[in-house]
């Protein structure tokens, strides 16, 4: 039993922590605090830091309820640290003392140095969760048996050969996990745990179960997989609350028929045992899994079952290099390809015979989407037919070459499913020092390859909040406060250590330093409800005035974390925010884009301009070409995130509107990859369109519109320069107009005087409405319905003007305007209807007309000397309503 360390020994341990820190070590430990969380399992010298905190006793330490501490420490220092917990962290509810943070050459987790616990830990009166996994415990510490409030006890990956009888005296225990140990027997007192709901004893050496296990009346899940069980006690029928029973990979020759009568059982896993026969109730049950059993084989004592005889022994196939296909039947088979790839089809994986074809492709990175820090380790295996789904998962073993760099990296099998790539849960098996297998379960057939990627850490973010830390990079963490999400969502993290010399070569700055690169991805809604805090360590050797304790914390934000969100922190001793950081950001956020210019089919004067990332062009064109037509997109050009550019209409075509984003006829843009970057404008020409069509063009240039816009000829000469701002030119054609004898828009119209609107929102004249009518085209029925026009009236207008689209539009709009005469808010209703009909372009023009009218009204008041704030002064006259603006 370990004794508490006090007095000089404690001071000496704390002094050892001071030696590794600078003068402000107390405040330097505080960044490991996240609310009531204290996470020290990923930091070197975690015990020293905690001892120093115990000596300083900051106020934050008294509020800690959750503590994580690594057991890869000096055993004596670890013992001294744990002895201080009851006095310094009296409110502790969860204690995680795990090993496993370090890995061997194959990536397997290493056990920690913990062999016992100090007796004083039984004084943690509020402790409800204790995790001692991945350690070197041979016996359960006595202090654990005195923790009467303990609800969850995790002892996996230790060296326990037995459990004490006193374990049954823990009255609040609901979860017990003792997987991957050396248990040979279980104590009968285990059945006294009346509150136990989940019991996991897989991966042990158990050959029998005590009958008392049937007394676990609250048990919901029981996992006994991968043991040596040859029989089961009949008392298992007493587990009336049991929902899940896992017994695969044992030596069972029979099971009690009473298991079929458990009322709540939804899954019984009996795979890979020695079962030759089963009770009929279990054979017919849909929740029973039986693959890998010798059902139907003759036995001296057990007669053959006609049902089991349908499942014969699995055949084995070895293909030579001249074969590229093989058959698979419902019996299943084990296949070894000539290239060394192995597949195992369990019995029942397919209901009908099927022929599988395979092809091995060279390891070409262009075949698959590799991340910037991924490495391809194998050939690409293609299995056909693509997309075929199996009733049982197919085992797949891929041979690969071990990567040179293994630090903070993991090996996974990547596959394609439903037009997207994803990584499968992968296990590594070593056949020789330079010959490794990646083993996974293939749920479908397509392409498979082995990839080395940065280690991924993930967590489920509950509404109560949580803390996500990197297992390979101390100091990188993300804090999710309570209330950040309403429903649990899964967040994953990858951290890549960046080489400073790469940044120095990129920027030509010998003093540049760089922090790790953090990549976050999530599932669920795009936004968080509360600010989420991201913390990154400053680059090595950088102290930085104003940076707390050597860490940089991203400003808390609730903005969405897209499927690939990257937080970068670049630092230089000369300038932290601007200069170097901005240059690095701009160079790393480069996109390949295409520019498009389309004209509306019913109204060629309406032009759509858009800048899109290359991978979005085809889908966008398919959606637009029903209403628009125009030339092919421009050649691919490179553009930075947030870069300014502008479109200039040339060769006799001009912009037909006074727009706030239009400077001297040039339309201004700012490119953002996550936005549409689209604008619709109306164009006109000073050339004679009655004689012939006007063939103009629109050109795109980098940067903001210059003060002196170059002439067209000068711009053309600059297109081929080394620093040319020109990006692309696309043709625009305005068709020939009808002759002057033919009726045109507004010709012969006799309209009654009409001012639509009021003094507060502004007025629209007949001319303004006529201009709006000329823009609507075939979208007018949608606008009419949003204006409140009944469907019956809409049909009447269509019938009355069935051969005249212009007449339909004018009649609808002006009849509606006459009914709205004198009604407040009529103009706002029109703008709202245009927006709801996806005609934002016309709505913006109406707003522009209103703004011009209001501006003229204000100018008129100033010229006449009227003061709006004193309209009742003697001798003053009431101001006239705003003057309608002419279109």
């Amino acid at each position: 039993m370990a004794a508490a360390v006090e007095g000089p020994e404690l001071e000496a341990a704390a002094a050892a922590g001071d030696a590794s820190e600078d003068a402000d070590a107390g405040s330097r430990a505080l960044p490991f605090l996240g609310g009531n969380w204290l996470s020290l399992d990923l930091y070197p010298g975690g015990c020293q830091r905690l001892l120093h905190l115990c000596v300083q006793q900051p106020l934050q330490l008294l509020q800690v309820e959750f503590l994580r501490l690594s057991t890869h420490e000096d055993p004596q220092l670890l013992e001294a640290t744990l002895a201080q917990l009851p006095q310094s962290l009296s409110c502790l509810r969860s204690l995680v003392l795990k090993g496993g943070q370090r890995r061997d050459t194959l990536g397997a987790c290493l056990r920690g140095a913990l062999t016992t616990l100090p007796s004083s830990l039984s004084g943690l009166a509020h402790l409800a969760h204790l995790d001692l996994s991945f350690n070197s415990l041979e016996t359960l510490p006595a202090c654990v048996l005195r923790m009467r409030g303990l609800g969850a006890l995790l002892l996996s990956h230790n060296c326990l050969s037995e459990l004490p009888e006193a374990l049954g005296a823990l009255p609040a225990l609901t979860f017990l996990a003792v997987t991957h140990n050396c248990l040979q027997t279980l104590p009968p007192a285990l059945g006294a745990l009346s509150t136990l709901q989940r019991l996991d004893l897989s991966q042990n050496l158990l050959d029998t179960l005590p009958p008392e296990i049937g007394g676990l009346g609250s048990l919901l899940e029981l996992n006994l997989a991968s043991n040596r069980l040859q029989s089961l006690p009949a008392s298992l029928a007493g587990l009336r609350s049991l929902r899940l029973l896992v017994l695969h990979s044992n030596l069972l020759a029979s099971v009690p028929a009473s298991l079929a009568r458990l009322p709540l059982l939804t899954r019984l896993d009996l795979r890979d045992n020695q079962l030759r026969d089963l009770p009929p109730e279990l054979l017919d049950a849909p929740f029973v899994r039986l693959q890998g059993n010798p059902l139907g084989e003759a036995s001296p004592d057990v007669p053959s079952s006609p049902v089991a005889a349908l499942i014969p022994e699995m055949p084995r196939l070895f293909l030579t290099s001249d074969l590229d296909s093989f058959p698979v039947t419902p019996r299943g088979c084990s296949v070894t390809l000539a290239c060394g790839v192995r597949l195992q089809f369990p019995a029942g994986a397919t209901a009908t015979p099927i022929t599988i074809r395979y092809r091995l492709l060279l390891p070409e990175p262009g075949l698959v989407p590799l991340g910037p820090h991924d490495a391809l380790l194998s050939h690409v295996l293609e299995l056909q037919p693509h997309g075929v789904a199996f009733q049982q998962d197919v085992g797949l073993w891929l041979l690969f070459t071990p990567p040179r760099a293994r630090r903070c990296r993991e090996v996974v099998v990547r596959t394609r499913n439903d037009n997207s790539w994803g990584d499968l849960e992968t296990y590594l098996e070593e056949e020789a020092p330079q010959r490794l297998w990646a083993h996974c379960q293939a749920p479908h057939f397509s392409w498979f390859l082995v990839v080395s990627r940065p280690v991924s850490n993930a967590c489920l973010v509950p509404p109560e909040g949580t803390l996500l830390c990197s297992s390979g990079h101390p100091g990188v963490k993300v804090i999710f406060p309570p209330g950040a999400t309403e429903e649990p969502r899964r967040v994953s993290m990858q951290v890549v250590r960046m080489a400073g010399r790469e940044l120095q070569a990129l920027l030509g700055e010998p003093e540049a330093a760089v922090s790790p690169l953090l990549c976050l991805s999530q599932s669920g809604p795009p936004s968080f409800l509360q600010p989420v805090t991201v913390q990154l360590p400053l680059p090595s050797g950088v102290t930085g005035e104003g940076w707390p304790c050597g860490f940089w914390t991203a400003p808390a934000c609730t903005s969405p974390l897209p499927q690939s969100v990257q937080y970068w922190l670049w630092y230089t001793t000369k300038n932290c925010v601007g200069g170097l950081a901005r240059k690095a950001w701009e160079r790393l956020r480069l996109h390949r884009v295409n520019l498009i210019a389309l004209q509306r089919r019913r109204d060629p004067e309406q032009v759509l301009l858009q800048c899109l990332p290359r991978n979005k062009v085809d889908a966008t064109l398919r959606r637009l070409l029903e209403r628009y037509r125009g030339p092919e997109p421009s050649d691919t050009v490179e553009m930075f995130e947030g870069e300014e550019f502008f479109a200039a209409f040339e060769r006799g075509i001009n912009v037909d509107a006074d727009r706030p984003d239009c400077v001297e006829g040039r339309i201004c843009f700012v490119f953002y990859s996550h936005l549409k970057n689209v604008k619709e404008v109306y164009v006109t020409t000073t050339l004679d369109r009655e004689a012939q069509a006007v063939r103009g063009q629109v050109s795109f240039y980098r940067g903001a519109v210059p003060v002196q816009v170059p002439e067209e000829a000068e711009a053309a000469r600059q297109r081929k320069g080394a620093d040319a701002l020109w990006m692309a030119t696309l043709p625009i054609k305005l068709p020939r107009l009808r002759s002057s004898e033919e009726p045109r828009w507004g010709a012969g119209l006799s309209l009654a005087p009409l001012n639509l609107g009021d003094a507060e929102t502004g007025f629209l004249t007949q001319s303004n409405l006529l201009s709006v009518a000329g823009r609507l085209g075939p979208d007018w029925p949608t606008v009419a319905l949003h204006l409140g026009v009944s469907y019956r009236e809409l049909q009447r207008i269509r019938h009355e003007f069935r051969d005249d689209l212009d007449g339909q539009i004018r009649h609808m709009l002006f009849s509606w305007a006459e009914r709205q005469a004198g009604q407040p808010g009529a103009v706002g209703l029109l703008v709202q209807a245009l927006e709801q009909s996806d005609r934002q372009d016309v709505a913006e023009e109406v707003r522009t007309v209103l703004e011009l009218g209001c501006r003229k009204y204000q100018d008129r008041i100033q010229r006449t000397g009227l003061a709006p704030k004193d309209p009742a002064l003697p001798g003053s006259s009431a101001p006239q309503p705003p003057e309608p603006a002419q279109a």
Side-chain angles (χ1 to χ4, degrees), residues 551-562:
F551 289 91
W552 173 82
T553 301
C557 63
T558 59
S559 58
L561 292 177

Side-chain angles (χ1 to χ4, degrees), residues 342-423:
R342 301 201 306 260
L343 298 101
Q344 185 170 358
F345 297 84
T350 177
T352 59
I354 185 175
T355 299
I356 305 298
R357 299 182 302 275
Y358 80 93
R359 183 173 57 156
L360 201 65
L361 306 175
L362 293 177
E364 173 58 46
L367 292 175
V368 294
L370 293 177
H373 304 284
D374 294 345
L376 188 59
L377 302 180
S378 72
H379 287 69
V380 180
L381 174 67
E382 182 183 7
L383 295 174
Q384 297 179 345
H386 289 178
V388 61
F390 294 94
Q391 299 178 9
Q392 304 290 339
D393 288 346
V394 176
L396 175 63
W397 285 262
L398 291 173
L399 190 65
F400 70 95
T401 303
R404 294 182 179 179
R406 298 189 182 183
R407 183 182 180 186
C408 302
R409 299 186 68 84
E410 59 186 352
V411 174
V412 295
V413 175
R414 184 163 297 174
T415 184
R416 183 178 177 86
N417 185 23
D418 294 334
N419 298 323
S420 63
W421 290 86
D423 296 336

Side-chain angles (χ1 to χ4, degrees), residues 111-133:
R111 300 181 188 271
L114 187 68
T115 58
T116 187
L117 292 176
S119 60
S120 60
L121 284 187
S122 60
L124 294 173
H126 302 284
L127 194 67
H129 174 267
L130 178 61
D131 189 350
L132 303 175
S133 305

Side-chain angles (χ1 to χ4, degrees), residues 54 143 155-156 172 222 290 321 339 382 389 549 701 771 841 869:
C54 293
C143 65
L155 302 168
S156 301
L222 175 58
L290 297 172
S321 58
C339 57
E382 182 183 7
C549 313
Y701 299 88
S771 177
D841 53 324
K869 62 181 179 179

Side-chain angles (χ1 to χ4, degrees), residues 664-681:
E664 297 190 26
R666 271 63 174 170
I667 306 298
C668 306
F669 290 82
V670 179
F671 171 74
Y672 291 103
S673 58
H674 63 282
L675 298 180
K676 293 184 178 180
N677 307 297
V678 60
K679 294 186 179 182
E680 289 194 71
V681 298

Side-chain angles (χ1 to χ4, degrees), residues 41 88 135 220 235 519 580 583 681 686 709 735 803:
D41 57 334
S88 303
N135 281 296
L220 302 177
S235 60
C519 178
L580 175 63
K583 286 193 293 183
V681 298
T686 57
V709 179
D803 296 326

Side-chain angles (χ1 to χ4, degrees), residues 17 173 247 253 264 414 462 508 587 592 749:
L173 195 64
L247 294 166
L264 301 179
R414 184 163 297 174
R587 295 193 184 194
R592 299 178 66 82
L749 283 178

